[in-house]
Amino acid sequence: MGKTRSAPTLNDVAKAAGVSTATVSRCLNSPEQVIETTRKRVMHAVESLGYTPNFAARVMAANRSFTIGAIIPTMDNAIFARGLQEFQDQLRESGYTLLVSSSAYDPDIEQEQIRALVARGADGLLLIGFARDAGIYKYLEQHQIPSLVAWSYDPTMPRPSVGFSNTDAMGELAQRVISAGHRRIAMISGKTQGNDRAQSRVEGVKQAMADNDLDADALTLIETTYDIEKGADAFRQLMDVRPRPTAVICGNDVLAAGALREAHRLGIQIPDQVSITGFDDIELAEIVSPALTTVHVPHREMGRKAALELIEMVEGKSEGRSICINTRLVIRHSLAAAPDRS
């Protein structure tokens, strides 16, 4: 049997590139500190030799795993994909690896995943929304694990957040619906229990109604899971309500797409007979017919800023700041003036 070939070392790379081991380390860990010609020479040596940095040594030296955990409610919803892609890209540029788990909107599963990520040495955690048992925050504090909330923003909360006010964003959309003359308003919402984003969007609609002297308690509300089929089912139920709503505000674009599909099946003209709105402004909002009036959420900006802030927290450069991301209305063809009905 031949001798087993030993793995290339840092010294081997330095010798091949004609530089010091310190320069090789800088190229791998802080490439911006090395001039381009030297960096290219070192990286060529790394690739040609097949050198892999000793991750365990790096972890021991820095007392960090360079791993960030993110727990999202679901992998079925495109809104999280946009933000997480940018979040991961920014982490990678800073030398961190992302581990993602999905809780299926189950708080018990989320707690299990949080504990599992901490046990695996995650340096910090990205969490979606504020709604969870106070005990899990205490657990994170006991283990000195920085955590940051995204997809929600509330500077009054003790937990730092990078996101937006779901109440204000949905309230602005509801105000536009009311300004178009709609008085009989219904809403298809995600399940609000344990979901502060869904709760806040319902509150935004009710607040806009109250501000316009409409009875917020009269809002016809259906809660369901975020699914096209469920959106269709909910819309069909709303069309049986008498008097029929003239506008249906949906908790996200997926529910709105389901509502649009069911409207087509029922032969209901959108927006001439009923207006439908969404929330998030994912690609789906533009390709359905008619295109959805919705709220644009800058998911990529949110993901990038969340990554930068969480890295600052992990590296001890920040105790955690709350950053508000601005949303905006996108007016398309699914919203029109309320039909003239007695």
Side-chain angles (χ1 to χ4, degrees):
M1 294 180 63
K3 292 183 178 179
T4 301
R5 185 178 178 181
S6 60
T9 66
L10 195 72
N11 284 326
D12 294 332
V13 174
K15 184 177 179 180
V19 298
S20 67
T21 54
T23 298
V24 175
S25 293
R26 277 196 298 274
C27 283
L28 296 173
N29 299 313
S30 303
E32 71 282 356
Q33 297 180 9
V34 184
I35 62 173
E36 185 177 1
T37 53
T38 301
R39 186 171 67 249
K40 286 183 176 179
R41 193 164 70 248
V42 170
M43 295 314 296
H44 176 73
V46 167
E47 292 176 9
S48 60
L49 292 173
Y51 172 73
T52 300
N54 189 328
F55 181 73
R58 184 187 180 206
V59 168
M60 291 181 65
N63 196 30
R64 290 202 301 271
S65 68
F66 296 93
T67 299
I68 299 292
I71 302 172
I72 61 175
T74 178
M75 293 186 181
D76 289 334
N77 198 325
I79 68 165
F80 297 114
R82 280 183 175 182
L84 279 181
Q85 183 62 58
E86 194 68 29
F87 184 76
Q88 176 178 269
D89 290 347
Q90 192 63 56
L91 290 180
R92 180 182 56 78
E93 288 182 16
S94 302
Y96 288 81
T97 298
L98 174 65
L99 294 178
V100 181
S101 295
S102 171
S103 67
Y105 289 96
D106 187 321
D108 293 331
I109 293 176
E110 186 194 52
Q111 287 197 29
E112 291 175 7
Q113 292 169 336
I114 288 173
R115 294 176 185 276
L117 286 168
V118 171
R120 285 165 173 74
D123 294 323
L125 293 180
L126 181 76
L127 304 173
I128 308 302
F130 292 99
R132 57 186 51 83
D133 189 274
I136 199 65
Y137 289 130
K138 184 177 181 181
Y139 169 82
L140 292 172
E141 290 167 1
Q142 289 173 336
H143 287 77
Q144 298 182 320
I145 306 297
S147 63
L148 180 72
V149 168
W151 271 268
S152 290
Y153 170 79
D154 187 347
T156 68
M157 297 291 283
R159 192 72 37 188
S161 58
V162 175
F164 56 96
S165 170
N166 285 273
T167 304
D168 291 348
M170 185 60 93
E172 185 180 5
L173 176 60
Q175 178 61 55
R176 178 60 67 94
V177 170
I178 295 168
S179 297
H182 294 278
R183 296 297 180 268
R184 296 200 296 274
I185 298 171
M187 184 173 186
I188 305 173
S189 169
K191 293 183 181 295
T192 57
Q193 184 175 359
N195 185 336
D196 58 300
R197 286 93 58 214
Q199 292 170 8
S200 296
R201 292 177 194 181
V202 173
E203 290 169 6
V205 174
K206 289 186 173 183
Q207 185 60 56
M209 293 177 69
D211 290 344
N212 287 274
D213 297 322
L214 300 177
D215 183 4
D217 292 333
L219 174 68
T220 302
L221 175 66
I222 295 179
E223 295 187 16
T224 187
T225 54
Y226 292 120
D227 179 87
I228 287 179
E229 291 292 340
K230 297 299 184 181
D233 292 344
F235 183 82
R236 185 170 58 255
Q237 294 176 51
L238 290 174
M239 292 304 97
D240 289 333
V241 172
R242 294 294 180 269
R244 177 184 283 179
T246 64
V248 177
I249 296 174
C250 297
N252 72 2
D253 293 335
V254 173
L255 291 174
L260 279 174
R261 193 183 74 177
E262 186 63 14
H264 292 321
R265 193 188 72 80
L266 295 172
I268 296 173
Q269 300 300 309
I270 308 295
D272 296 338
Q273 293 177 281
V274 179
S275 289
I276 295 174
T277 64
F279 195 104
D280 285 318
D281 195 26
I282 60 176
E283 285 84 355
L284 183 64
E286 293 186 83
I287 64 175
V288 293
S289 180
L292 281 171
T293 288
T294 187
V295 173
H296 176 78
V297 177
H299 296 103
R300 293 186 177 91
E301 178 189 359
M302 182 168 54
R304 179 177 61 82
K305 289 185 176 180
L308 292 172
E309 186 60 30
L310 190 50
I311 290 169
E312 292 265 299
M313 293 168 67
V314 165
E315 296 180 353
K317 299 174 183 177
S318 169
E319 293 184 358
R321 298 169 295 174
S322 288
I323 301 171
C324 184
I325 305 296
N326 294 321
T327 61
R328 59 180 171 84
L329 291 184
V330 179
I331 306 301
R332 298 195 180 101
H333 302 301
S334 69
L335 172 65
D340 184 14
R341 295 179 184 172
S342 58

